[in-house]
Amino acid sequence: MSRTVRLVILTLAVLLLGSVGTGAVLYAAHRSGLRDQQQADGPAVHAGTVSLRPTTGRRLVVRNLAWGPHRDEIATVPADDPQGPRTASGVKCLRFHAAAGTGICLQAVHGALQDTYGAVVLDAHLRELRRFPAAGIPTRARVSPSGHLVAWTVFVSGDSYAGTDFSTRTAVVDTRTWAIDDNLENFRVIEDGRPYRAADINVWGVTFADDDRFYATLATGGRTHLVRGDLAARTLTTLHDNVECPSLSPDGTRVAYKKRVAGASSDAPWRLYVLDLRTMKESPTAERRSVDDQALWADASTLVYALPGDYGSDLWTVPADGRGTARTLMTSAVAPAYLG
């Protein structure tokens, strides 16, 4: 091959690579621009007032994921019209939950070199009451039924529950005194009636029973356990194996959770189950896809949870008793909370 031919080939290769790179940049810019535009086929979203103490019936509050100027804002719809127009608050959160006029909002603070994170306690008007630093990427958030306690979990290392190479940090704050337990791994663990100690303990996914008792996931030795937590005694007592991201039913008798099942792929290992706390009998729901979320009880018989969607995540619902079928509740939304 002559030198001239080699130069021609090299020039063409450089031009081709430059065209591909330019195209990729333009496509990314186009996609980024679309995120600020209202979806033509998406939900209607408008700015307005959002209260965590609704006066007009029961409402559903979510993190809005619909592309447009209100993406990532906390938004609300009537609970009986989840596909209806959304009222966006202007407050942006990565994870969110609320109860009894108290909200917990996990936020990112974008820096020049890296992002940092914070946990913000909000009042009924979504005004900041107190801010706490968060040690990593936000992943779970819950408020107690009374609104007196808030909890959050972050990834200190890793960014997924699918594998085993991650570490979490879970904190609980009393909004009456602003006292904080910033790492539930410091609680005493009781397994089979005896103290248990290990260096690899991880705790995540708090769900509150009242202002003292809660449930959560504890992982150690390659296994996960449902634990009952006691804030006054600072203990975590193991109750059941293979439970992740529990969610307590309104009557306090059942826990919905994601369970790793045999034969599932390593990147989609879970199925949504419900555990009866009185009998310790577990049963699968009709949702057969892998659910990587902390499900929410919409009422005494219905679960709500997020699955991947076209614009991030969609909310789905399924009966808690194993019957029926899963159905879409709300598109382009995540982190739900029912109010009123």
Side-chain angles (χ1 to χ4, degrees):
M1 182 183 299
S2 68
R3 180 180 180 185
T4 301
V5 172
R6 288 197 298 271
L7 287 174
V8 169
I9 292 174
L10 178 61
T11 301
L12 291 174
V14 169
L15 291 174
L16 178 60
L17 289 173
S19 298
V20 170
T22 301
V25 170
L26 291 175
Y27 177 73
H30 175 67
R31 291 279 293 180
S32 178
L34 287 177
R35 291 167 68 93
D36 295 328
Q37 300 176 17
Q38 188 79 39
Q39 295 168 224
D41 58 346
V45 187
H46 62 270
T49 300
V50 174
S51 173
L52 301 184
R53 293 190 185 275
T55 58
T56 56
R58 197 170 188 236
R59 301 193 68 82
L60 175 59
V61 184
V62 300
R63 172 189 169 196
N64 170 57
L65 294 181
W67 281 5
H70 303 293
R71 183 176 170 88
D72 294 327
E73 293 181 15
I74 298 307
T76 183
V77 293
D80 59 2
D81 186 22
Q83 298 285 5
R86 304 177 187 181
T87 301
S89 66
V91 176
K92 292 188 175 184
C93 304
L94 296 177
R95 298 295 299 189
F96 176 81
H97 191 248
T102 299
I104 179 65
C105 170
L106 304 185
Q107 296 179 331
V109 180
H110 301 295
L113 298 179
Q114 65 179 9
D115 293 346
T116 58
Y117 303 94
V120 183
V121 182
L122 304 172
D123 70 7
H125 303 289
L126 297 182
R127 295 175 301 207
E128 180 177 324
L129 293 174
R130 193 66 64 97
R131 178 182 294 266
F132 298 87
I137 300 171
T139 173
R140 301 288 181 250
R142 277 294 187 268
V143 180
S144 67
S146 68
H148 293 158
L149 300 174
V150 300
W152 63 86
T153 297
V154 299
F155 284 119
V156 178
S157 64
D159 58 3
S160 170
Y161 291 105
T164 59
D165 187 20
F166 67 86
S167 177
T168 61
R169 183 74 52 82
T170 296
V172 175
V173 168
D174 189 325
T175 64
R176 296 163 296 186
T177 64
W178 301 117
I180 181 172
D181 280 304
D182 62 0
N183 188 358
L184 295 188
E185 295 170 21
N186 294 326
F187 280 30
R188 290 186 297 115
V189 178
I190 301 171
E191 182 181 41
D192 299 328
R194 298 185 299 273
Y196 174 87
R197 294 181 178 85
D200 67 344
I201 287 176
N202 262 325
V203 180
W204 68 85
V206 164
T207 180
F208 289 103
D210 52 37
D211 287 345
D212 187 52
R213 296 175 301 123
F214 63 90
Y215 296 87
T217 294
L218 182 146
T220 182
R223 300 166 60 197
T224 60
H225 311 269
L226 175 68
V227 291
R228 182 179 60 243
D230 186 315
L231 288 170
R234 296 179 60 82
T235 57
L236 300 169
T237 302
T238 62
L239 300 177
H240 196 75
D241 290 347
N242 198 1
V243 172
E244 298 182 54
C245 299
S247 180
L248 187 65
S249 64
D251 63 3
T253 64
R254 292 158 294 160
V255 164
Y257 61 100
K258 59 183 196 183
K259 174 183 177 178
R260 292 179 186 263
V261 295
S265 66
S266 60
D267 59 347
W270 302 286
R271 297 294 181 271
L272 189 60
Y273 271 68
V274 173
L275 175 70
D276 188 316
L277 291 172
R278 294 167 295 193
T279 65
M280 289 297 163
K281 178 182 178 181
E282 59 181 18
S283 56
T285 67
E287 176 56 82
R288 297 295 183 257
R289 292 166 293 183
S290 184
V291 176
D292 183 11
D293 193 22
Q294 186 172 20
L296 179 78
W297 291 79
D299 51 42
S301 59
T302 310
L303 300 173
V304 176
Y305 50 94
L307 288 173
D310 291 340
Y311 298 95
S313 292
D314 298 331
L315 292 178
W316 288 73
T317 184
V318 73
D321 62 4
R323 295 181 292 184
T325 58
R327 62 181 181 86
T328 304
L329 177 72
M330 193 174 183
T331 59
S332 304
V334 72
Y338 283 92
L339 304 174

